[in-house]
Amino acid sequence: MSVKNMDFFTQNITVKNAVACALNRSIFSLFEDSNRVENLSLSATSLHLDYSKQNITKPELSHLISWAEGCNLPQHIKSMFSGDKINNTEQRAVLHTVLRAPLSVKHEILGKEAVEVEQAEQYMAQIVDDVCAGKLTGITGDKFTDVLAIGIGGSYYGIKVGLSALHPYHSTGLKVHVLANVDGAAVTEKLEILKAATTLVVIISKTFTTQETLLNAKAIKAWMLAELDDNKAIAKQWYAVSSNIEKAQSFGLDASNILPMWDWVGGRFSLWSAVGLPLALAIGNQHFAELKAGAYAMDQHFQTASFDKNMPVLMALIGMWNRNALNYPSLAVLPYDHALRALPGYLQQTDMESNGKSVSKQGEKLNWVTAPIVFGQEGTNGQHAFMQLMHQSDEIIPTDFIVALQGTSDLTEHHKVLVANCLAQSEALMQGKDLATVQKELIAGGASKEEVSRLASHKTMKGNTPSNTLLMQSLTPSCLGAILALYEHKIFVQGVLWQVNSYDQWGVELGKQLSTQVLEIMNGQTVDKTQMSPSSIKLIETFIQKQSVN
Ligand code: F6P
């Protein structure tokens, strides 16, 4: 498939006409088709997707589906699940899905490596059981009360979203904390609440070279050794999850306390591996198994459902319709659920670090745009932050609303208001309010002619913002697993069709290289600054001067 397949949006006359039509119609008018809601809604596993507020018709969607089939999407899906090295720049398979599949599938796909995977899973579950039973304790013999997970990016976000989303399922009594940012304030904040003798530390780093994680681990190690005054504390109270066993051991970890990460599991897709250990220590093995089972159910749906009834494929194609046909640059992810407040951040990495690229898998410059700018926060907070722009700027921002029919608190009135706001916002973004309606409302409200002419235009709203509403009965471990897998597969499909490698992240390398150079200058080392801008040099000098004053 050459890099021309996106001509579909620019050369295909039927699609070009459909795009012109879509850009000149109101989404609301599409509901004249009384079957629209039924035809543009889909249930799969524990989720229900209403995509009828999208600016698309069934025939237009059918064109997209035919195009996807013509791009060999079915073969690409088989290729990923069967372990082909689809991460071509790193020559790696992409098999995080195997981690949540039954043992038989593990053996079928991984062969003898399945034994190691199964052993790692069993070991992880054993650690959880032994910590909870008090068989594994701190160096002083005290039971663990707290767990500190040190990691960043994919070695952080999955745990973070799991801990907050599944707060009602925290069943072990262990308090699990995450430390990601390299800001010392983040470290001191944790040390204010942790006791060295009863803290289990899990360092998570696939490469075991990530600057932030290693510096944080070093600070926590120094703190623990100072508090406990016993060098054996690290070997006893620390675990690592990494593919770099040698570096983990040289940090002082006991070989038996290092759980594996395989090169066929990308960081941002690694929650299903031993990276999930801190989460399992909070919610217990059974709930962690349910999380994986929910994701596996979505894997099965993704692999078997015809594309017209395939939730990840439909979300992917609609996302590309919005991005590449209607040219909307962003995607707002608005979970109307306090427990899902970390989901937008998680999806920023999953989506933007996977598909935020402009070169094809073959290294050719793409002449189309790819991943949207993903942002969001939990509702209703977003309504008091950025929804003004979404309603009244000229930017049309496609939105994913995510909401549970049943809340996790006893405050049913609160939940009703939360859901009402979610549904109202999707309606308001779609309907907007035109000038005539505003004028009529102002007059009906007793406004004078002068007030109507002064205020009316300020109160109009553009509307025509497309959205998905993803419903679930309640936010269970299984539902969370299905949601995360749904987005993983949506992003996979878009990567295939955009022809990018969704599984490398070379774009993060330059920043790492330059931060090393900046640090060397700050440390007074001789560095060739000719390549650095006068701005950065001046800023570094200011920092150095400030340090010398303090
Ligand atoms: O953000 C860049 C990245 O490489 C992510 O892909 C990864 O999840 C994160 O940094 C942490 O990497 P590691 O797990 O190797 O510390």
Side-chain angles (χ1 to χ4, degrees), residues 168-179:
Y169 297 89
H170 287 204
S171 53
T172 63
L174 289 162
K175 292 185 286 301
V176 182
H177 317 268
V178 287
L179 173 59

Side-chain angles (χ1 to χ4, degrees), residues 404-443:
L405 295 174
Q406 189 186 330
T408 53
S409 87
D410 300 336
L411 299 169
T412 49
E413 185 59 21
H414 276 68
H415 193 67
K416 197 191 297 178
V417 170
L418 179 72
V419 176
N421 273 279
C422 178
L423 305 185
Q425 286 298 324
S426 67
E427 186 72 13
L429 284 172
M430 177 185 67
Q431 282 225 40
K433 191 179 281 188
D434 64 18
L435 187 62
T437 309
V438 171
Q439 288 167 334
K440 204 158 31 168
E441 282 183 358
L442 283 169
I443 292 165

Side-chain angles (χ1 to χ4, degrees), residues 79-80 82-94 263-264 361 501:
S79 177
M80 171 175 72
S82 59
D84 292 349
K85 291 184 168 31
I86 63 170
N87 174 356
N88 62 310
T89 60
E90 295 177 305
Q91 280 302 301
R92 294 173 178 173
V94 173
D263 72 2
W264 37 265
K361 290 186 82 163
N501 176 2

